[in-house]
């Protein structure tokens, strides 16, 4: 996921994906805009892969497959990748949500609510610890 991940795959856009994109855009508007070009293709989903690095590392640690130090090394890698690619959490969130719609689909409601709250709340970890 560090070197490739979903961001290296060609997005398959079908009618369901088009419907998902519309639903995601409505759920995120006007605060975030998905990273999609004029042809409907994703332009940036790196944060989707970065989040997956962190998730898999945490799951593996919780299951006892890796030790705490190894987990923290993976999390540090993910943090470094995010800081290299994005200047703020809004950019990161747009990239993550774009990746989610193309790679996972499904309803955006739960994720959109959490992400928009994290971007707007003064007590959010994202506003407490800016990306840069």
């Amino acid at each position: 996921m560090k070197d490739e991940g979903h961001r290296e795959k060609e997005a398959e856009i079908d009618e369901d994906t088009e419907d998902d994109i519309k639903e995601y855009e409505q759920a995120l508007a006007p605060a975030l805009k998905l990273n999609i070009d004029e042809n409907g293709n994703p332009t940036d989903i790196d944060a989707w892969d970065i989040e997956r690095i962190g998730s898999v590392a945490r799951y593996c640690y919780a299951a006892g497959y890796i030790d705490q130090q190894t987990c923290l090394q993976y999390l540090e890698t993910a943090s470094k990748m995010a800081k290299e690619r994005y200047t703020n959490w809004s950019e990161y969130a747009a990239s993550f949500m774009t990746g989610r719609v193309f790679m996972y689909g499904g309803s955006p409601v739960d994720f959109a609510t959490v992400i928009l709250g994290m971007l707007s709340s003064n007590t959010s970890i994202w506003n407490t610890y800016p990306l840069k």
Side-chain angles (χ1 to χ4, degrees):
M1 286 183 280
K2 178 183 173 205
D3 297 322
E4 292 182 17
H6 283 134
R7 65 190 176 277
E8 297 298 322
K9 296 180 180 178
E10 190 74 27
E12 293 183 24
I13 303 168
D14 57 17
E15 190 175 306
D16 288 338
T17 305
E18 290 174 358
D19 290 343
D20 287 343
I21 290 169
K22 289 175 187 167
E23 189 177 353
Y24 275 64
E25 286 176 334
Q26 289 174 347
L28 296 169
L32 287 178
K33 185 174 179 342
L34 296 176
N35 300 324
I36 300 174
D37 67 18
E38 62 280 351
N39 298 317
N41 297 305
T43 58
D44 174 19
I45 65 168
D46 289 14
W48 174 255
D49 287 331
I50 293 168
E51 281 297 311
R52 288 175 53 235
I53 291 169
S55 293
V56 171
R58 290 188 307 272
Y59 298 152
C60 288
Y61 173 67
Y65 294 128
I66 60 175
D67 62 20
Q68 183 179 26
Q69 185 61 35
T70 302
C71 179
L72 291 173
Q73 288 171 343
Y74 282 114
L75 295 175
E76 184 60 36
T77 295
S79 174
K80 183 178 177 185
M81 289 172 69
K83 290 176 181 180
E84 288 172 353
R85 288 169 172 76
Y86 303 100
T87 58
N88 59 55
W89 288 114
S90 291
E91 289 178 3
Y92 185 86
S95 174
F96 171 78
M97 290 300 281
T98 303
R100 187 173 193 278
V101 72
F102 280 95
M103 299 304 154
Y104 183 78
S107 174
V109 176
D110 291 339
F111 271 96
T113 300
V114 170
I115 284 176
L116 294 174
M118 289 178 70
L119 289 171
S120 64
S121 172
N122 290 337
T123 59
S124 159
I125 193 166
W126 282 359
N127 289 315
T128 303
Y129 299 99
L131 197 54
K132 297 239 176 190

